[in-house]
Amino acid sequence: MCVIAFGHSWGKVGGLTGGASIHCQTGKSMLTFRYVGTVKMRVTVLSPFFPFPIPNQKSNMEAFALLYGWRFIRKSKGYSFSLSPPLNKFSQYYKNANNLQF
């Protein structure tokens, strides 16, 4: 089974968020691969006479996880529990007084 998500996140990393996960079940064991990415953009306008938006990336967050867990069914309802150490990558972009991005 594959799940795709798209939306908005708030907080320090907040911005456009998208992700996907793939689930595979064998017996009661379940294996999941999950990716979630968030991009925060700042939009500036070149001039009021030429209102063309210019997007600048402010921050970027990516999270990867390979989860292992158990899934079982009780009284027509499915329950699953999974654990994983995730890999998270956060990047923040700044511009100095000379308009150089680092």
Side-chain angles (χ1 to χ4, degrees):
M1 178 167 98
C2 181
V3 177
I4 297 173
F6 182 77
H8 188 275
S9 297
W10 285 268
K12 183 176 181 174
V13 182
L16 294 175
T17 302
S21 61
I22 298 172
H23 308 278
C24 181
Q25 181 178 349
T26 304
K28 290 187 177 184
S29 298
M30 188 166 74
L31 189 65
T32 303
F33 174 75
R34 181 178 64 203
Y35 168 80
V36 177
T38 301
V39 176
K40 187 178 233 179
M41 304 290 279
R42 176 184 293 147
V43 178
T44 57
V45 177
L46 190 60
S47 76
F49 303 108
F50 186 63
F52 185 73
I54 301 170
N56 294 320
Q57 188 172 0
K58 243 179 117 177
S59 66
N60 184 21
M61 192 278 303
E62 294 180 305
F64 300 90
L66 183 61
L67 297 98
Y68 177 76
W70 301 274
R71 183 171 188 273
F72 57 95
I73 298 173
R74 272 211 182 124
K75 296 181 183 176
S76 302
K77 293 186 181 180
Y79 300 94
S80 64
F81 301 95
S82 299
L83 293 172
S84 169
L87 171 64
N88 297 322
K89 180 183 170 188
F90 177 71
S91 302
Q92 197 162 11
Y93 304 97
Y94 295 101
K95 283 192 177 183
N96 62 10
N98 296 327
N99 207 22
L100 296 174
Q101 185 172 340
F102 60 96

